[in-house]
Amino acid sequence: MRVSRLMLVTLRDDPAEAEIPSHKLLLRAGYIRRLSPGIYAYLPLLWRVLRKVSAIVREELDATGALETLLPQLQPAELWQRSGRWAGYTAGEGIMFHLQDRQGRKLGLGPTHEEVITALAADLLRSYRQLPVNLYQIQTKFRDEIRPRFGLMRGREFIMKDGYSFHADEASLRETYAAMDQAYRRIFSRCGLRAVAVEADSGAIGGSASQEFMVTADAGEDLILASPDGSYAANQERAVSLAPEAVPLPGGARADGQGEPLATPGQASIEDLCAGHGFAPSQTVKVLLLLARFEAGLVQPVLVSLRGDQQLNEVKLANALTARLGGDHGALLAVAPLARETVRDWAVPLGLEAIPFGAIGPHLADAVLAAGGSAGAAAPPGGSKPALGRAFLRLADHTAAELPAFVCGANAADTHLVGASWGTLAPRPETLDLRAAQPGDRCQHDPSQQLEASRGIEVGHIFQLGRKYSSALGATFTNEAGTDEPLWMGCYGIGVSRLAQAAVEQHHDANGICWPTAIAPFEVIVVIANAADDGQRTLGEQLYADLQAAGIEALLDDRGERAGVKFKDADLLGIPWRVVVGRGAAEGQVELVQRSGSHKQELATSAVVDMLLGRLAVERAGVAT
Ligand code: ATP
Ligand code: MG
């Protein structure tokens, strides 16, 4: 390919729309152009990168026996209604683009394909003799992300490899899951990425075990918590740890565990309360009041007790709410603070007059929910008419529930209680892990180690789905004993376009991109320093032809620009090798320069091809560096 024919527009300055290095560089080097938020054109150079990534993905997956397929992107709502995900994906913060066809039938643009593939499995898989089956596709996905950003990292239209496996039993599912784990490690390593596997939340997809693959980079959106010995690593959404020991409350429980009232005017936050009276935050119980909205219309008030020094993990809470109420009330659509705005926006029939904000204790009576409010003020977004739960769902994190005596709100204005205890002040709530693990926390598997934080870009995610989708969509098979049962399922994703940008995030320097050879758009760029010089041009063209004839992917910079401009562009583009045809051309000498690394030498034109073939033989295999 010739640079003069590439529509190449490079930018000297960082574009205002980009925040992180990889996004800036892909824009500056002319790999992508934004059409609208989260929607990008992949220009020819990037398309070559994406095809190389896809080729590596295909080789590794095909080697495991997985079969490539291609599924429809327009998906009937009915399938998603049967799996119970339509409302969750289209209403509230749902991310599925959806539409109606001319017959009034509802359709969604595929954000993922569990429903479609399971419907096919229901149709085609009948007997244990056909199992296991593992299918994958590489295709554009659509997600109406709330915050599209960082270029290809979080797009609204992006390329994903998604795969789905079907099994007769859980052991077979585990086997394929393990094979995918290994294949993913090879894929990322061959793409030149340093990636780590971490325990992950299963999210809206559901299911049991799941693992994410994170490309470590400061710009990553995910927080990884890992033990120094490497035996534990998890996404913070999922991570568990031992909280620091609480500071015992001097004097313990008082007034038979009811606690003694303490005047706390203007001390509505844990910080102010502690600063005002010398308490340690771990001596306090803070109470969060929330509303959880479900698909079938229920708005459930939730009271969460946390130890004052701990933070809520919203993912753990959402999972707990879904597990307790999702079965009867459908998908959890949103969780928000029980506050004036939420009550108004969701049109919840609830007055807030009786709620002692700033001094709430875990013994807050359900009666405060009885005050009818501004029902009917607005229509709740995407849901049916809200029905307010009459009693709080009371949940407490273990660390709060374990306190023998604590300080908490008195449920009366400007008053707290000192020395309250569970069982007397308030009934013991249901106790579970709701706290966000933090860097510095002790590890559960070895309390002598402390969790360390790093940032990661999620490039892949594998799940053991179990039988959730097969049960919902009636995908059954006949087992060896002759009875019908739902198929066991796994699913496996790789963000192909995100991966390409993650590679730039890990491989760049002050002058531009440094592509790992295995996924570089070209392996070598031949730069004719002075295109007006006949000798240089002839030699450059000859070399370009020789390289291609030797099976080396070559780009020829044949533009009439100044040499300095072309060298800068070559650095920005990040092609692993550069051959400069300059003044030495008359003597048949050229310069060979490695983009990253130290190799730089003058050599005879006749030696270039062999030299590069030797180096590329190693680099093409790809290993993370
Ligand atoms: P995230 O947590 O980043 O939103 P996800 O967990 O919703 O991602 P999955 O459903 O697991 O994503 O999708 C499989 C893979 O697709 C992800 O591991 C990621 O690499 C990629 N991916 C997901 N969403 C996007 C997006 N908006 N833009 C680009 N790639 C994405
Ligand atoms: Mg994921």
Side-chain angles (χ1 to χ4, degrees):
M1 196 179 285
R2 290 164 186 274
V3 177
S4 62
R5 299 277 80 85
L6 206 55
M7 304 187 297
L8 184 68
V9 177
T10 55
L11 310 172
R12 289 285 156 255
D13 298 316
D14 287 335
E17 70 181 85
E19 295 166 63
I20 61 172
S22 55
H23 187 197
K24 292 176 186 169
L25 288 170
L26 287 178
L27 283 168
R28 282 186 52 205
Y31 282 89
I32 55 173
R33 282 286 197 175
R34 188 175 81 156
L35 195 63
S36 108
I39 304 180
Y40 286 84
Y42 313 129
L43 296 175
L45 287 177
L46 188 79
W47 185 240
R48 290 183 67 97
V49 174
L50 294 174
R51 278 174 40 200
K52 287 198 171 176
V53 173
S54 303
I56 291 171
V57 168
R58 287 192 170 98
E59 274 176 38
E60 293 297 338
L61 292 182
D62 292 351
T64 69
L67 303 174
E68 186 168 359
T69 184
L70 191 58
L71 302 171
Q73 282 154 303
L74 275 173
Q75 309 186 1
E78 187 255 358
L79 277 182
W80 287 72
Q81 280 153 354
R82 280 170 62 198
S83 72
R85 292 208 293 181
W86 178 257
Y89 267 78
T90 56
E93 298 187 344
I95 50 153
M96 182 151 62
F97 288 103
H98 50 107
L99 59 133
Q100 268 188 19
D101 67 15
R102 62 180 77 237
Q103 270 93 31
R105 283 182 297 240
K106 288 190 178 142
L107 298 160
L109 267 180
T112 180
H113 278 73
E114 284 78 16
E115 281 76 0
V116 171
I117 195 90
T118 310
L120 281 172
D123 197 11
L124 297 172
L125 295 174
R126 299 284 157 83
S127 156
Y128 71 94
R129 288 196 189 85
Q130 295 169 282
L131 300 171
V133 167
N134 192 3
L135 295 164
Y136 74 93
Q137 60 175 346
I138 298 177
Q139 181 197 61
T140 295
K141 292 281 187 279
F142 300 90
R143 294 186 181 182
D144 196 359
E145 297 279 357
I146 296 166
R147 244 173 273 101
R149 57 179 192 159
F150 299 158
L152 307 184
M153 293 291 190
R154 186 166 297 285
R156 296 197 300 156
E157 178 178 331
F158 59 95
I159 299 177
M160 194 201 286
K161 185 290 290 185
D162 50 328
Y164 307 87
S165 65
F166 296 92
H167 309 267
D169 54 43
E170 197 172 6
S172 167
L173 164 59
R174 290 221 183 95
E175 213 171 283
T176 297
Y177 181 82
M180 289 299 106
D181 174 29
Q182 291 305 312
Y184 274 40
R185 289 170 199 261
R186 286 192 297 271
I187 288 167
F188 300 131
S189 168
R190 283 185 59 188
C191 289
L193 293 170
R194 293 182 301 276
V196 293
V198 306
E199 281 182 23
D201 180 66
S202 300
I205 276 192
S208 51
S210 114
Q211 182 174 283
E212 287 166 345
F213 292 85
M214 297 282 186
V215 167
T216 46
D218 291 342
E221 288 189 280
D222 288 282
L223 186 69
I224 303 168
L225 294 174
S227 63
D229 70 355
S231 66
Y232 179 77
N235 191 318
Q236 193 192 28
E237 290 178 353
R238 156 92 186 190
V240 293
S241 67
L242 299 173
E245 296 289 347
V247 178
L249 183 67
R254 296 177 209 166
D256 296 332
Q258 298 295 324
E260 279 167 8
L262 174 72
T264 54
Q267 293 161 354
S269 69
I270 296 288
E271 297 79 63
D272 292 346
L273 176 70
C274 291
H277 301 276
F279 298 127
S282 67
Q283 295 170 328
T284 69
V285 166
K286 66 178 167 193
V287 171
L288 309 179
L289 289 190
L290 304 157
L291 290 175
R293 189 154 57 87
F294 287 84
E295 181 184 354
L298 173 70
V299 172
Q300 174 62 45
V302 184
L303 188 155
V304 177
S305 297
L306 290 173
R307 204 172 80 188
D309 62 331
Q310 299 300 310
Q311 303 302 322
L312 176 67
N313 178 322
E314 292 174 7
V315 175
K316 290 180 184 174
L317 176 65
N319 290 341
L321 293 172
T322 301
R324 281 161 188 74
L325 296 164
D328 291 337
H329 301 280
L332 174 65
L333 299 183
V335 179
L338 196 171
R340 199 163 306 288
E341 298 73 42
T342 317
V343 166
R344 184 194 61 215
D345 295 349
W346 295 4
V348 180
L350 171 61
L352 301 180
E353 305 75 33
I355 298 179
F357 288 108
I360 297 172
H363 55 308
L364 185 66
D366 293 330
V368 298
L369 299 169
S374 52
S384 40
K385 199 163 174 290
L388 184 68
R390 294 208 201 136
F392 285 108
L393 174 65
R394 292 165 193 268
L395 303 173
D397 180 64
H398 294 302
T399 53
E402 281 159 7
L403 292 176
F406 50 85
V407 179
C408 66
N411 293 326
D414 297 333
T415 313
H416 281 74
L417 297 171
V418 182
S421 67
W422 297 108
T424 47
L425 177 74
R428 277 189 182 279
E430 197 181 339
T431 301
L432 64 165
D433 177 28
L434 288 173
R435 57 181 279 277
Q438 303 287 353
D441 285 351
R442 291 164 300 150
C443 299
Q444 281 198 344
H445 74 284
D446 173 5
S448 73
Q449 298 189 53
Q450 293 184 332
L451 288 179
E452 294 172 346
S454 57
R455 301 215 69 91
I457 301 163
E458 180 194 328
V459 288
H461 199 164
I462 57 178
F463 296 82
Q464 291 178 28
L465 289 176
R467 309 206 273 190
K468 175 178 158 155
Y469 293 92
S470 53
S471 303
L473 293 159
T476 59
F477 72 103
T478 310
N479 63 22
E480 265 189 276
T483 44
D484 276 0
E485 57 171 307
L487 290 155
W488 291 84
M489 275 180 75
C491 85
Y492 320 96
I494 292 180
V496 171
S497 46
R498 181 185 283 183
L499 185 159
Q501 186 172 328
V504 177
E505 198 59 43
Q506 261 188 359
H507 299 281
H508 68 270
D509 63 18
N511 298 322
I513 300 170
C514 308
W515 288 110
T517 301
I519 62 169
F522 288 93
E523 294 168 326
V524 52
I525 179 166
V526 178
V527 180
I528 302 173
N530 177 6
D533 179 309
D534 284 345
Q536 289 187 21
R537 231 190 24 252
T538 311
L539 189 64
E541 292 280 356
Q542 184 59 52
L543 197 53
Y544 176 53
D546 291 348
L547 288 164
Q548 288 178 302
I552 296 173
E553 297 177 10
L555 181 64
L556 177 67
D557 195 345
D558 55 344
R559 294 175 300 171
E561 304 282 349
R562 281 184 296 115
V565 170
K566 288 190 274 199
F567 295 158
K568 272 211 158 61
D569 280 348
D571 278 348
L572 191 57
L573 287 175
I575 312 295
W577 292 93
R578 174 165 97 207
V579 180
V580 181
V581 183
R583 288 203 195 92
E587 291 83 49
Q589 289 287 110
V590 295
E591 191 188 27
L592 181 64
V593 186
Q594 194 177 22
R595 174 65 183 87
S596 60
S598 52
H599 191 99
K600 190 170 182 167
Q601 76 176 122
E602 294 272 334
L603 75 179
T605 316
S606 53
V608 170
V609 168
D610 281 345
M611 173 79 200
L612 277 175
L613 280 176
R615 299 295 292 235
L616 291 173
V618 180
E619 291 175 16
R620 282 169 177 164
V623 262
T625 50

